[in-house]
Structure formats: structure tokens, C-alpha cells
């Protein structure tokens, strides 16, 4: 029998992930085994198995060194990045450098082991795949995964690699706000052209897309974002605030105790959520550090003050998309907020004020919209048909500029950010020195003018240039992004026709991916083994306790029999000379009580009385 293969959409978030599937002509957002529709993007390594989701998040305070979160802030990053070095200060788990890339070092099954960010992400994806497969009862292979708008090519490729390691085929990575826009557009059947700005603020990233939506066509006009701004940064501010307060009150520095810090962080996140609905939140942690109970509170105003600069910085990407797209604030028809951190009242207020008091759209589910849209996209990309999405078309833009490095270290952009894809751009360049015989083409991606501040994608050499004064040779350089977003850069010497090119792929090497697939399979087997062991133990345990209960029950019945028999003997002793009727009556009464009990105890008990 053919196994039905389903496609799903996964909103892969820094702190929470969500999976959706097109089923019965609508999108289902799938709950995990705990009944929750979003699952923490946490992975915890223990002595016996790898935990993912809620169970992993619950380990943060008890197993802090081996519980990993924030994979989005690790993936595709350079270990020596100053931003990255700063992030590391907040992680209780250990990060080491491996070929310039960050790896997580954790203790798993009693041994130290290094995990690439792709592997950590693959474990989260695997969890989301399992959630979907449990629900559907079939295997899942094809997937569309959301990413922050400002993820670069290597980060997107790393997500694809993580998908591969998890046994998934990533049809596409899609900007999270655009995924939400699909959900938004589908629900409303928009007639006429509408400019919709989607603002996504989650746990670690901020993404903004401005889209033109008409019927089923969604066109990204401009995107912007900050891969380094989200709810966790607000949590960090609260943690710092309370660390200082603790120091003032008790003259102790609790930062030396990772467990205490983790417990404080948990409470800070909880308080932050409460402050979205109330004006004050309480922190009550018994025996936080050196047996000191920490009971305190914070007001919403103070929380806003602590985060003032961070909150202010959310306006920057919004302003940028408007400037890049040449669209006035007043021409934005709809402002849609998604992501957990957009529940913060101050953020809502700031965005509304920026748009001169415009009301924000609240009709969309801010936690699920991106997974919803990704699932629609996945269903559509696999050639499935539904009248509801027959005209669906998403035109995407490149979020970062692409170009080459010039002699003085500047970046010469070929494809400017927010250019619709697919696209092709050709520019002529020339030599920088007299009789220069070769030219090195260094390809970069990013929005900074200095190439060093951008992401280096690759390089190649064009040789055999004929001797000529500088500036004379004509080299045509072409940047070509195809429908799947693949970038090819080529250079042709117009005089000789010599050419060279590079296709930017990035990501892990094939061998590395294969090794990680094998290891992930092994982790799965470990987990299966642990689960089977737990099931077998449960079965034995419950049988044992049932047995004990049955013995008790039998004891009670026997005691009851014993007591009626004893009563009858006493009566016989005291009534030596009663009449026939009385003895018969007594026997009937005794049988009425005893027989049902005997039946319960022995079933066909009459044999006992026949002497067999
Ligand atoms: P997401 O990845 O979209 O699920 O967003 C997760 C982030 O949203 C985390 O940093 C949460 O702490 C934050 N968050 C969730 N609910 C709230 C809330 N009610 N108020 C403030 N932040 C929230």
C-alpha cells in the first residue's frame, strides 16, 4: 500500500515553533502531545536521551549546561562576530569554535559531544515532523520553513541542511512575515490592491515585510529586519535589573550561579508576559542564591523604561521598508502584527503612533499565522489544488544586497536589496593596474557599504587577461538569481571570451550532512529505546499495583465472609434448640450474603460444597 506523504509548513522560531498542514481543504495547526499549538525550540541532552520541546524547556534550571535554546542565534553565524560573542554571555550552555563556526558542547549519555547549530535545529524540526506525523498518521517529507527576513544565504542554507538532517525535503524557506501575509490574504479574499505591512517580533528576531496584495497575488515590495532583536533581549534587561537589585539588597552577586540565573530568567519571562496584561508583576523565588528568598516586583512603566532603546529600535526596520519602497505611511492600508512580543502594549502603541494613530489589525492569530501561511505555501508548491488558493502567487525580494568587493574594500552592489527574484544584473568592470593579467571576483552579501561588514559568499579568479593599461579590459560580470533563489556569478573577458563562474551554495559538506543524518538516526533510536523501556516499566508497574489492589480486595471479601461465618457460629452456639423454620431461615440469610461474595472470589464455587 502506498504511504500518503503530506507536506507541512513549519514556523521555526527562536523560542517557539509551530506546524500546520492543509487538510480537508483548510489549514490545521497541529497540537503537540501536551495539547499546545506551539512548541518551545529547546533541546536538552541527558544521560539517557535527547529531549525536545516542553520537556526540554523544563530542564533549563535543573540541567542548564546541557539545555540548548536560541539555535536561530547560532545558525550560520561566525563565532568571532562581536554580536555573537555578546550573545554567548547569556547562554548557560557551552559554545566552542569549530572552523570559525559556533558548536554547542554538551554532555550526552555521559560523554562530551559537540553539536553543530544545524544538528540542534534538525532536532527541533524532527520534533515538529513527529508532531505532524502523529496527527496525520502518515509520513511527512516536504516542508516550507519560515525564516527571519534578514537571514542571509548561508543562514537559509543552514536551515535547509537542518531539514535534510531531519529527513525533510525543504521546498522553500520563506520570510515569516510573508508567510503570515498569505494567511492574512487567504482569510480575507482581498479585492483591489492593498498595501499590507506585516511586523513580526518573536523571541530573537524582528522581521518586517511590506506587501502589495491583490486577489491571490502577494508581492513583497520591501523587507527589513533585525536578526538580533526580540523577546529574549527584553528578558535579559529584566535579568540584569534584578541581578543589580539583588546585589543592592543582599550584597551578593548571583551571576556566579548559573542555576540561580536560569531560575531568575524563567521568572523574568513570566513577569514580562504578565506585564502585557497588568501594570505590575511579582517575582517570588524561594532560596534563589545562598538560601536567600527573592521576593520583589516590577511595574510596567519600569519594564518599558528598561527597554526603551530596544523598543525604539523596532521603528527602524519599519521606517526602512517604507523608505525603500517609496510608499508613504498613509498609503499603508493594513498593519498586521505577529510574533509573541507584539503583545507588549508599548510596542503596539509605538507602531500605531508611528502610523499616526492608525488602528492595528488584530484579526490574525499572532502565534500561528506564519505556520498557517507556510503550510498553504507547501501545499501549493507540491502542485496540490484547491479553489481557495488557485491564484496564489508570491513574489519575493532579496533582503540583502549582493555585490563584489572593489579595490578599496567597498562593496559594489549588483543586485540591490529588495529586488524581485528571479533577477539578472550585468555590470562591466575593469583592471586596477596596468598589464593586470587576472582579476579576483569576491562575492559579498549585505547592506553595508564596506564589504568586510557583509557576508562573504565566495570568490573566483578570471585569468588570461591580455596586457593593457588599467581600466581598458572589459570584463562583464553577471549576477543571476534563478527561480529557486540560487545565485550564480560569472565573469567574461569581452576581448578573449574567457570566462569563469561560481555558484554560491554554502552550507555543510555532503559528507558532514550524511554523518549528521546517521547520528540523528541514532539519537532517534536512543529515544525509541528509552521510550520502550519506559513503556515496559510502566506496564510492569501498573500490573504490580493492580495486583496489590486485587489482593487487598480479596482480603476485604474474605474478611467479610469470615465475619458472617463467625456470626453464624455464635448464633448456633447460643441457639441450640431453635425450630426447623428458624434454622432454615438462618441458612437462607447466610447463603444470600455469602454466595455473591464466593461467586466474586471463586466463580463456580459450588464445587467446594460438593466435596470436590
Ligand atoms: P514567538 O517566537 O513568536 O512565539 O515569540 C516568542 C516570544 O514572545 C518570547 O520571547 C516570549 O517571551 C514572547 N511573548 C509571548 N507572549 C508574550 C506576552 N504576552 N507579552 C510579552 N511577550 C510575550
Amino acid at each position: 500500500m502506498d504511504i500518503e506523504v503530506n507536506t507541512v509548513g513549519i514556523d521555526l522560531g527562536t523560542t517557539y515553533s509551530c506546524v500546520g498542514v492543509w487538510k480537508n481543504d483548510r489549514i490545521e495547526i497541529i497540537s503537540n502531545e501536551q495539547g499546545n499549538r506551539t512548541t518551545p525550540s529547546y533541546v536538552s541532552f541527558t544521560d539517557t536521551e535527547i529531549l525536545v520541546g516542553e520537556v526540554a524547556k523544563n530542564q533549563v534550571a535543573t540541567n542548564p549546561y546541557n539545555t540548548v535554546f536560541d539555535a536561530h542565534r547560532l545558525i550560520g553565524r561566525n563565532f568571532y562576530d562581536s554580536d555573537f560573542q555578546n550573545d554567548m554571555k547569556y547562554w548557560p550552555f557551552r559554545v566552542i569554535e569549530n572552523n570559525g563556526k559556533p558548536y554547542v558542547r554538551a554532555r550526552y549519555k555521559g560523554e562530551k559531544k559537540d553539536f553543530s547549530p544545524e544538528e540542534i535545529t534538525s532536532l527541533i524540526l524532527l520534533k515538529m515532523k513527529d508532531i505532524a506525523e502523529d496527527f496525520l498518521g502518515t509520513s511527512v517529507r516536504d516542508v516550507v520553513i519560515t525564516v527571519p527576513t534578514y537571514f542571509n544565504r548561508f543562514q537559509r542554507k543552514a536551515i535547509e541542511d537542518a531539514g535534510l538532517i531531519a529527513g525533510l525535503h525543504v521546498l522553500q524557506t520563506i520570510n515569516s512575515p510573508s508567510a503570515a501575509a498569505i494567511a492574512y490574504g487567504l482569510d480575507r479574499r482581498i479585492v483591489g490592491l492593498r498595501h499590507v505591512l506585516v511586523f513580526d517580533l518573536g523571541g530573537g528576531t524582528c522581521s518586517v515585510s511590506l506587501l502589495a496584495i491583490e486577489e491571490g497575488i502577494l508581492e513583497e515590495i520591501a523587507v527589513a529586519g533585525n536578526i538580533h532583536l526580540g523577546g529574549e533581549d527584553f528578558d535579559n534587561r529584566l535579568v540584569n535589573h534584578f541581578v543589580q537589585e539583588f546585589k543592592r539588597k543582599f550584597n551578593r552577586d548571583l551571576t556566579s550561579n548559573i542555576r540561580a540565573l536560569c531560575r531568575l530568567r524563567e521568572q523574568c519571562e513570566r513577569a514580562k508576559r504578565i506585564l502585557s496584561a497588568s501594570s505590575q508583576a511579582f517575582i517570588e523565588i524561594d532560596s534563589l542564591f545562598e538560601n536567600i528568598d527573592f521576593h520583589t516586583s516590577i511595574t510596567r512603566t519600569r519594564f518599558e523604561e528598561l527597554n526603551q532603546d530596544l523598543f525604539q529600535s523596532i521603528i527602524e526596520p519599519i521606517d526602512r521598508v517604507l523608505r525603500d519602497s517609496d510608499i508613504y505611511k498613509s498609503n499603508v492600508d493594513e498593519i498586521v502584527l505577529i510574533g509573541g512580543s507584539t503583545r507588549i502594549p508599548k510596542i503596539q502603541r509605538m507602531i500605531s503612533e508611528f502610523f499616526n494613530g492608525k488602528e492595528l489589525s488584530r484579526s490574525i492569530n499572532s502565534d500561528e499565522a506564519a505556520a498557517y501561511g507556510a503550510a498553504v505555501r507547501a501545499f501549493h508548491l507540491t502542485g496540490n489544488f484547491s479553489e481557495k488558493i488557485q491564484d496564489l502567487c508570491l513574489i519575493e525580494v532579496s533582503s540583502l544586497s549582493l555585490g563584489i568587493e572593489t579595490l578599496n574594500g567597498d562593496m559594489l552592489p549588483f543586485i540591490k536589496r529588495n529586488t524581485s527574484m528571479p533577477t539578472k544584473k550585468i555590470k562591466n568592470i575593469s583592471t586596477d593596474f596596468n598589464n593586470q593579467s587576472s582579476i579576483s571576483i569576491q562575492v559579498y552579501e549585505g547592506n553595508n557599504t564596506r564589504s568586510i561588514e557583509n557576508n562573504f559568499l565566495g570568490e573566483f579568479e578570471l585569468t588570461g587577461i591580455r596586457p593593457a593599461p588599467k581600466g581598458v579590459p572589459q570584463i562583464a560580470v553577471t549576477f543571476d538569481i534563478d527561480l529557486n533563489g540560487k545565485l550564480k556569478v560569472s565573469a567574461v573577458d569581452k576581448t578573449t571570451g574567457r570566462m569563469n563562474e561560481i555558484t554560491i551554495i554554502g552550507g555543510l559538506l555532503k559528507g558532514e550532512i550524511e554523518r549528521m543524518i546517521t547520528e540523528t538516526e541514532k539519537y532517534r533510536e536512543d529515544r525509541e529505546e528509552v521510550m520502550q523501556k519506559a513503556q515496559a516499566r510502566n506496564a510492569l508497574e501498573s500490573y504490580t499495583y493492580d495486583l496489590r489492589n486485587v489482593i487487598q480486595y480479596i482480603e476485604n471479601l474474605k474478611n467479610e465472609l469470615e465475619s458472617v461465618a463467625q456470626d453464624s457460629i455464635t448464633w448456633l452456639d447460643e441457639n441450640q434448640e431453635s425450630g426447623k423454620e428458624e434454622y432454615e431461615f438462618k441458612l437462607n440469610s447466610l447463603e444470600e450474603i455469602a454466595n455473591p461474595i464466593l461467586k466474586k472470589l471463586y466463580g463456580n464455587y459450588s464445587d467446594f460444597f460438593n466435596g470436590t
Side-chain angles (χ1 to χ4, degrees):
M1 192 182 77
D2 273 350
I3 297 173
E4 195 190 337
V5 176
N6 282 286
T7 58
V8 296
I10 297 178
D11 177 26
L12 183 66
T14 313
T15 45
Y16 285 89
S17 296
C18 180
V19 58
V21 65
W22 185 286
K23 197 164 186 271
N24 301 330
D25 215 30
R26 56 189 282 267
I27 292 293
E28 284 277 356
I29 297 295
I30 309 172
S31 303
N32 62 23
E33 71 281 9
Q34 318 250 352
N36 297 324
R37 290 155 76 91
T38 58
T39 298
S41 307
Y42 279 63
V43 177
S44 186
F45 300 93
T46 75
D47 281 342
T48 49
E49 62 182 321
I50 298 178
L51 305 169
V52 186
E54 264 107 6
V55 276
K57 192 166 188 221
N58 290 339
Q59 296 262 323
V60 164
T62 50
N63 185 19
Y65 303 109
N66 302 302
T67 301
V68 186
F69 50 93
D70 266 358
H72 260 28
R73 286 188 171 183
L74 287 152
I75 207 157
R77 300 284 297 280
N78 183 325
F79 182 84
Y80 297 106
D81 240 29
S82 58
D83 268 357
F84 186 79
Q85 288 291 319
N86 191 44
D87 280 344
M88 271 172 55
K89 289 186 205 144
Y90 292 97
W91 293 323
F93 51 89
R94 184 153 174 226
V95 180
I96 53 135
E97 186 262 357
N98 181 338
N99 268 331
K101 278 177 63 173
Y103 270 58
V104 172
R105 177 161 289 174
R107 184 164 279 277
Y108 172 52
K109 289 177 93 179
E111 279 176 26
K112 250 191 249 158
K113 208 166 170 349
D114 295 343
F115 296 88
S116 67
E118 286 87 344
E119 280 175 293
I120 304 284
T121 302
S122 80
L123 291 165
I124 299 163
L125 290 173
L126 200 58
K127 174 75 188 175
M128 303 317 286
K129 180 177 185 264
D130 285 347
I131 291 172
E133 288 180 346
D134 281 351
F135 169 78
L136 294 166
T138 60
S139 65
V140 164
R141 194 177 64 103
D142 296 328
V143 62
V144 167
I145 302 175
T146 66
V147 289
T149 48
Y150 255 29
F151 255 21
N152 63 34
R153 269 166 193 278
F154 288 169
Q155 286 169 308
R156 287 168 198 254
K157 179 68 174 60
I159 297 285
E160 282 175 26
D161 288 347
L164 263 180
I165 299 167
L168 290 164
H169 170 232
V170 182
L171 298 165
Q172 192 181 31
T173 54
I174 178 174
N175 292 329
S176 56
S178 302
I182 293 178
Y184 177 83
L186 199 70
D187 265 7
R188 270 148 212 86
R189 299 246 113 238
I190 292 172
V191 182
L193 176 69
R194 309 275 292 169
H195 287 121
V196 179
L197 182 126
V198 185
F199 177 82
D200 177 8
L201 190 63
T205 59
C206 169
S207 297
V208 187
S209 283
L210 180 65
L211 297 107
I213 306 183
E214 190 167 16
E215 304 289 338
I217 302 170
L218 291 93
E219 184 179 357
E220 282 181 349
I221 309 175
V223 299
N226 185 340
I227 50 167
H228 217 267
L229 177 66
E232 294 202 335
D233 300 297
F234 314 146
D235 300 344
N236 290 341
R237 290 284 167 96
L238 278 181
V239 170
N240 289 342
H241 165 77
F242 288 120
V243 163
Q244 296 307 325
E245 184 178 317
F246 196 87
K247 222 181 247 170
R248 270 197 318 277
K249 281 187 177 162
F250 306 106
N251 202 18
R252 299 276 199 294
D253 181 9
L254 63 82
T255 54
S256 58
N257 185 324
I258 295 288
R259 275 204 176 83
L261 264 185
C262 289
R263 288 179 69 205
L264 179 61
R265 178 178 305 280
E266 258 179 7
Q267 290 303 309
C268 285
E269 203 243 352
R270 198 187 58 88
K272 175 188 73 176
R273 288 176 186 247
I274 290 171
L275 290 174
S276 291
S278 315
S279 57
Q280 192 176 20
F282 294 91
I283 299 266
E284 291 187 353
I285 317 175
D286 288 341
S287 192
L288 176 61
F289 183 66
E290 293 182 359
N291 276 334
I292 301 169
D293 296 341
F294 189 45
H295 294 187
T296 184
S297 67
I298 183 152
T299 62
R300 185 191 283 176
T301 315
R302 186 81 180 106
F303 169 68
E304 291 171 357
E305 203 177 271
L306 290 171
N307 285 292
Q308 201 180 16
D309 56 322
L310 294 178
F311 288 176
Q312 202 55 47
S313 64
I314 63 158
I315 295 299
E316 200 272 325
I318 300 178
D319 196 34
R320 171 109 55 94
V321 291
L322 292 175
R323 273 188 283 122
D324 281 359
S325 57
D326 269 339
I327 285 184
Y328 292 117
K329 289 179 192 181
S330 52
N331 289 340
V332 174
D333 298 300
E334 212 57 68
I335 301 154
V336 178
L337 303 190
I338 61 163
S341 299
T342 58
R343 294 206 179 87
I344 297 173
K346 172 84 179 173
I347 287 178
Q348 296 180 356
R349 229 167 34 240
M350 283 173 60
I351 297 175
S352 171
E353 275 163 17
F354 177 80
F355 285 96
N356 304 324
K358 189 171 171 59
E359 218 175 292
L360 310 173
S361 170
R362 291 174 197 281
S363 55
I364 205 159
N365 183 319
S366 65
D367 293 325
E368 299 171 5
Y372 186 112
V376 173
R377 186 74 175 149
F379 181 76
H380 191 243
L381 283 177
T382 35
N384 289 298
F385 177 79
S386 161
E387 253 179 29
K388 290 182 185 164
I389 56 163
Q390 61 178 334
D391 322 314
L392 180 70
C393 170
L394 175 66
I395 302 164
E396 295 170 282
V397 295
S398 57
S399 56
L400 299 162
S401 297
L402 290 156
I404 61 173
E405 188 178 47
T406 61
L407 184 66
N408 63 5
D410 281 348
M411 168 143 140
L412 172 67
F414 274 64
I415 296 174
K416 293 227 171 96
R417 67 167 186 262
N418 295 322
T419 304
S420 295
M421 295 185 291
T423 185
K424 187 171 174 172
K425 290 277 153 60
I426 306 174
K427 272 187 187 178
N428 284 335
I429 62 164
S430 191
T431 47
D432 294 309
F433 310 103
N434 293 336
N435 302 324
Q436 189 178 330
S437 62
S438 71
I439 221 166
S440 165
I441 308 283
Q442 315 232 1
V443 185
Y444 282 87
E445 172 192 50
N447 296 336
N448 296 304
T449 45
R450 299 291 294 166
S451 58
I452 193 132
E453 289 162 17
N454 292 327
N455 180 34
F456 174 68
L457 295 180
E459 62 184 322
F460 64 94
E461 198 95 359
L462 184 69
T463 55
I465 301 169
R466 286 197 188 135
K470 68 174 181 185
V472 171
Q474 293 270 296
I475 315 289
V477 177
T478 306
F479 273 60
D480 192 351
I481 303 181
D482 72 9
L483 252 179
N484 300 316
K486 200 198 288 170
L487 169 67
K488 194 152 89 177
V489 182
S490 60
V492 181
D493 182 341
K494 285 187 169 176
T495 318
T496 62
R498 278 179 85 105
M499 82 91 93
N500 200 357
E501 62 180 20
I502 186 174
T503 301
I504 307 293
I505 298 174
L508 296 168
L509 301 173
K510 201 161 163 260
E512 284 180 301
I513 293 183
E514 276 161 11
R515 177 185 60 77
M516 290 175 192
I517 290 174
T518 314
E519 293 200 347
T520 305
E521 209 38 61
K522 175 100 192 34
Y523 305 145
R524 248 197 139 132
E525 281 164 19
D526 290 348
R527 198 186 54 185
E528 197 57 36
E529 202 181 300
V530 170
M531 258 167 57
Q532 282 179 2
K533 194 171 118 182
Q535 272 168 3
R537 190 188 155 84
N538 273 346
L540 173 64
E541 221 165 48
S542 70
Y543 186 82
T544 308
Y545 286 112
D546 282 354
L547 196 62
R548 270 226 331 231
N549 289 338
V550 168
I551 292 168
Q552 190 57 53
Y553 178 69
I554 291 171
E555 282 304 310
N556 291 345
L557 291 178
K558 280 183 172 169
N559 288 343
E560 217 174 311
L561 279 182
E562 172 73 33
S563 141
V564 287
Q566 189 54 52
D567 285 354
S568 188
I569 289 167
T570 312
W571 188 87
L572 282 166
D573 286 349
E574 289 167 0
N575 298 276
Q576 303 282 346
E577 299 297 334
S578 291
K580 170 183 170 258
E581 281 79 14
E582 215 174 341
Y583 286 124
E584 279 173 357
F585 174 76
K586 268 295 191 194
L587 176 62
N588 278 341
S589 308
L590 183 60
E591 281 178 341
E592 253 174 53
I593 298 173
N595 286 355
I597 299 176
L598 284 168
K599 198 164 180 190
K600 279 186 197 164
L601 278 171
Y602 304 111
N604 186 11
Y605 60 91
S606 52
D607 288 351
F608 292 123
F609 295 95
N610 298 332
T612 33

